[in-house]
């Protein structure tokens, strides 16, 4: 029994399927909101015009790519740890 996931497994088993879908949807929304807030704060400096300038646009693109790559890597590591097949990072 994995002590990291035991509590989560017990909680999920007691929750109905519709509630699990709601939890997943909420998690996705939270990740999206975090991405938008982080990239906006880091990349948008002024409100001179309605649209982004080239520098802001490229900054937001880089920020979003980094955030998504990081999130995917963290998810992969959690999956590895959950399976007991964790490998050291290189």
């Amino acid at each position: 029994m994995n002590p990291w996931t035991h509590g989560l497994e017990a909680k999920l088993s007691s929750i109905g399927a519709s509630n699990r879908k709601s939890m997943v949807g909420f998690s996705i929304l939270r990740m999206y909101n975090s991405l938008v807030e982080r990239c906006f704060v880091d990349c948008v400096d002024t409100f001179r015009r309605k649209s982004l300038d080239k520098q802001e646009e490229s900054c937001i693109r880089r920020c979003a790519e980094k955030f998504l790559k990081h999130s995917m890597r963290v998810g992969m590591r959690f999956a590895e740890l959950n399976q007991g097949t964790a490998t050291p990072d290189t």
Side-chain angles (χ1 to χ4, degrees):
M1 180 180 308
N2 187 339
W4 294 102
T5 60
H6 175 68
L8 179 62
E9 290 168 358
K11 186 178 269 189
L12 287 176
S13 67
S14 68
I15 296 174
S18 65
N19 287 342
R20 279 190 290 250
K21 287 181 184 178
S22 295
M23 286 176 61
V24 169
F26 179 74
S27 177
I28 291 169
L29 275 175
R30 189 173 55 206
M31 185 174 101
Y32 175 77
N33 287 336
S34 176
L35 166 67
V36 169
E37 182 177 357
R38 175 176 290 175
C39 293
F40 181 83
V41 167
D42 289 348
C43 298
V44 178
D45 298 324
T46 63
F47 295 98
R48 294 183 301 256
R49 57 181 79 105
K50 286 193 260 184
S51 61
L52 298 171
D53 63 23
K54 294 290 184 191
Q55 183 180 3
E56 291 170 336
E57 191 173 331
S58 65
C59 178
I60 287 175
R61 185 174 287 119
R62 278 192 316 272
C63 178
E65 287 174 0
K66 285 181 182 181
F67 185 90
L68 293 173
K69 284 179 183 178
H70 171 76
S71 296
M72 288 183 351
R73 181 63 183 142
V74 168
M76 288 172 38
R77 290 295 290 168
F78 277 127
E80 289 172 358
L81 290 170
N82 194 31
Q83 294 174 357
T85 61
T87 58
D89 280 337
T90 54

